[in-house]
Amino acid sequence: KPSYDRIYRMRLIFLESFLATSAQRVIRREKPCVIAITGSVGKSSTKNVIGLMLDAGNPNARVRASEKNYNNELGLPLTILGLPAPGRSPFRWILVLVSASLFWLGWRRTGIDIFVLEMGADKPGDLEKLVKIAPPFISVVTAVTPEDEMMAPVHAANYPSIDAVAEEKATIVKATRPDGAVILNADDPRVFAMRHMSPARVYTFGQSQDADIRLAGNHIRVQDTEYGKTPIGLEINIESLNRLRKIFLPGVFGKSIAYAVCAGLAVSTLLDAGLDDSVERISISFSGLPGRTRILPGIKKTTLLDDTYNASPVAVLSALRDLAAVELNPGQRRIACLGEMRELGSQSEALHERVGEEAGRLHLDLLVACGTLAPAVESGAKKAGLESEKIKRFEDTPEAGRFLQDWIKPGDLVLAKASQGTVHDKGVRMERVIKELMEDPVHAPELLVRQEEAWKRK
């Protein structure tokens, strides 16, 4: 097995290098418009919104956006070339190499006019490699700085400070073509400071009064039912070009989605895409990705807030605040089921305690904590005044799901969130809780994250 793994890694390094070279040649040859998106949170939602908007607002242009989490040295070239991930199958590797060779030689063309590319960075230097493959014409930076400064950013374990994270994200700004544009979150001081790092035009979005695309408000819309108020989607008010636009996105929640729409409007404005068509398209077609801020019907006439794809401290705080802000009737209950957050380095325990404090401060009706760091979450919640009887701890998520099946009642609102973990983890992978609680588990394969066989077997 060690020998096989070593061969696989060597093969992967060769494949990444060849794919990167092939994709780079394609970009230079075909000269498409490249839109690069990065940030500590909100990349995937922003990428999806921009892709949908440009597809609707530019009917004569072919648009391709990154699929799934194709945002690294392997995924980015696969997106550009339109090729599937080969996994560990030698036969698929051969097919991918043959196809990439045809692009490298110029015998095949993508035919794509606009690429919307998510660019991730797990460690310093990652983004530099990606922008060399696809230099951006438009760069979008979603967010770096948490509202609570003590909260570490995503992948904090691989960076010495939040400023180091911001420096990494600024790579795409510095690489933006001078005749292009940079789109920045005006509410994030570290992102807003990047406006001086490029000669390209700068557009801003956010709640700031000076933002070019201003988020005037957002809230979760509810409807009255027999069992109380039920969340049905996200209502967003955005001021752009001296006009107030009211946008409703059914089946999703979260301030991060509202920011994504603002960024999408900025890109559409820059590319002269039809804004009315773009807004109409996302109102009809945007459904969010599995495990990312989705509203799902639960058993016993409950409602689930499925945000189980991944978690960082700032994202968990945001989700908890979204849960607390939903308008409910007296007697309806708010429940948060939280697993571990990974890649936080030496601050891990303190940050889990801080998340617990927020849950306590918001006076939730029940806090369910899973995994080895559940005691830290519990400790923080108690410190903030949450009663012991409103806190439950479990080692693994299936056990938490079975408990909630019996505990919940009609009208309850349940949030689930944790880091992705691995197939072997017990305390994370909160999608297993959602599967236990969703109204119709038959639809789990298309609605939930990590439903592939490799994950389901564990």
Side-chain angles (χ1 to χ4, degrees), residues 25-261:
R25 289 170 70 98
V26 164
I27 295 296
R28 289 176 178 174
R29 184 187 304 120
E30 299 185 19
K31 296 179 172 56
C33 173
V34 173
I35 301 170
I37 303 160
T38 196
S40 294
V41 293
K43 296 186 295 294
S44 295
S45 298
T46 303
K47 173 254 300 178
N48 285 351
V49 168
I50 292 173
L52 280 171
M53 281 188 163
L54 295 182
D55 194 44
N58 295 270
N60 297 320
R62 291 189 62 190
V63 180
R64 177 181 292 167
S66 303
E67 294 185 7
K68 300 180 181 179
N69 60 340
Y70 283 13
N71 62 7
N72 56 21
E73 292 175 70
L74 178 61
L76 188 83
L78 289 175
T79 294
I80 293 171
L81 303 178
L83 301 175
R88 286 178 173 259
S89 168
F91 178 70
R92 291 178 181 173
W93 281 70
I94 293 171
L95 289 179
V96 167
L97 285 172
V98 170
S99 297
S101 299
L102 297 178
F103 283 109
W104 189 87
L105 293 167
W107 296 352
R108 285 187 64 182
R109 297 179 63 86
T110 66
I112 300 299
D113 301 298
I114 302 173
F115 283 103
V116 184
L117 302 175
E118 180 180 337
M119 295 189 178
D122 290 338
K123 59 187 183 300
D126 281 353
L127 286 179
E128 184 177 359
K129 297 174 184 176
L130 299 183
V131 296
K132 284 182 178 178
I133 297 171
F137 177 71
I138 296 176
S139 295
V140 181
V141 185
T142 58
V144 173
T145 310
E147 293 180 18
D148 185 335
E149 278 283 345
M150 76 157 282
M151 303 306 280
V154 177
H155 307 306
N158 297 326
Y159 294 91
S161 67
I162 191 171
D163 290 318
V165 176
E167 184 178 350
E168 176 71 20
K169 305 303 181 185
T171 301
I172 73 165
V173 174
K174 297 173 184 177
T176 304
R177 285 170 38 182
D179 59 337
V182 174
I183 299 174
L184 304 173
N185 183 343
D187 299 335
D188 186 320
R190 288 180 174 84
V191 173
F192 189 57
M194 296 176 192
R195 67 191 184 281
H196 303 302
M197 298 180 181
S198 171
R201 293 173 291 171
V202 175
Y203 286 77
T204 58
F205 64 93
Q207 293 178 300
S208 171
Q209 290 290 336
D210 297 326
D212 297 304
I213 308 294
R214 194 174 82 84
L215 177 59
N218 69 100
H219 67 275
I220 298 175
R221 184 190 291 183
V222 298
Q223 66 179 14
D224 290 314
T225 67
E226 179 184 354
Y227 301 101
K229 296 187 183 298
T230 299
I232 58 173
L234 183 65
E235 194 164 286
I236 311 168
N237 296 326
I238 297 176
E239 292 179 0
S240 66
L241 302 178
N242 298 315
R243 175 181 173 183
L244 179 64
R245 296 178 182 274
K246 295 182 179 291
I247 303 170
F248 176 67
L249 303 180
V252 297
F253 72 97
K255 192 175 182 179
S256 61
I257 301 294
Y259 273 90
V261 174

Side-chain angles (χ1 to χ4, degrees), residues 218-225 227-235 253 295 303 305 319-334 365 411-414:
N218 69 100
H219 67 275
I220 298 175
R221 184 190 291 183
V222 298
Q223 66 179 14
D224 290 314
T225 67
Y227 301 101
K229 296 187 183 298
T230 299
I232 58 173
L234 183 65
E235 194 164 286
F253 72 97
I295 300 173
T303 304
L305 302 182
L320 286 172
R321 291 163 185 165
D322 285 329
L323 171 66
V326 178
E327 179 188 2
L328 298 178
N329 289 340
Q332 289 185 267
R333 302 181 298 182
R334 296 177 175 86
D365 296 287
D412 284 350
L413 182 59
V414 183

